[in-house]
Amino acid sequence: MINSKSKLSKQAAKSLTKLYQKILKDAAQFSSLAVEQQHRTRKRVKQLRYCIDFIAGIYPEKQVQQFLNKLQPIQEYLGFYNDLFVAEHIFEQQATEHPQFLFALGWVKAQQPHVAKKAAKKLQALSTKDIFWK
């Protein structure tokens, strides 16, 4: 059993590291990425979270939880940021026939840079020293 667990943890570590390196690369330039690339970063963070949830049992619970506690707010900011773009698209479509949507559209557009800045700051706080799966 020990051997198979060791093999599993090595494979998990390899996969997690590869994904995490992509997130760190995105984090370093998040503010200058196109919206589609920022969304890709969100999907990567989400994928990392699900992968960690799946393999958490083979690592010390405290270390896993500390990492997830750092990852969760990033995932929330990136999710909210994505929601703002989805809302922008909907409000733009509605505003052509219903001008009252222009206010909501303006609010959504005004929020985007603020949320992007917060997400970037949280992302930039990530580092390789956070890795628990070494």
Side-chain angles (χ1 to χ4, degrees):
M1 181 69 182
I2 302 262
N3 192 20
S4 64
K5 187 174 181 179
S6 174
K7 198 172 188 179
L8 176 62
S9 64
K10 282 182 183 178
Q11 185 57 46
K14 184 178 176 183
S15 296
L16 291 173
T17 299
K18 186 176 179 181
L19 181 57
Y20 194 60
Q21 291 298 331
K22 289 178 183 180
I23 292 168
L24 291 176
K25 185 178 177 187
D26 288 349
Q29 56 189 353
F30 185 79
S31 298
S32 63
L33 294 176
V35 173
E36 295 80 19
Q37 292 171 313
Q38 290 173 333
H39 183 64
R40 179 196 63 203
T41 304
R42 174 185 169 264
K43 291 191 281 188
R44 286 176 173 165
V45 169
K46 194 174 184 179
Q47 181 182 5
L48 180 63
R49 170 72 193 270
Y50 292 149
C51 290
I52 290 170
D53 285 344
F54 185 72
I55 54 89
I58 63 173
Y59 295 102
E61 184 179 348
K62 184 178 179 183
Q63 292 177 352
V64 172
Q65 197 54 53
Q66 286 174 335
F67 186 84
L68 290 178
N69 288 345
K70 197 167 187 180
L71 200 61
Q72 182 182 0
I74 295 167
Q75 193 175 355
E76 288 173 8
Y77 275 112
L78 291 173
F80 181 50
Y81 186 56
N82 184 65
D83 291 347
L84 289 171
F85 283 97
V86 171
E88 177 185 2
H89 180 71
I90 292 168
F91 293 152
E92 280 178 340
Q93 289 178 329
Q94 293 297 317
T96 56
E97 293 182 33
H98 307 284
Q100 62 269 32
F101 278 93
L102 288 172
F103 177 79
L105 178 60
W107 183 86
V108 163
K109 285 186 171 203
Q111 293 303 307
Q112 290 167 345
H114 300 294
V115 176
K117 189 175 181 178
K118 288 179 182 178
K121 188 175 182 179
K122 294 279 185 193
L123 276 165
Q124 289 165 358
L126 292 175
S127 74
T128 52
K129 68 181 180 205
D130 297 321
I131 294 175
F132 64 85
W133 56 82
K134 301 171 194 167

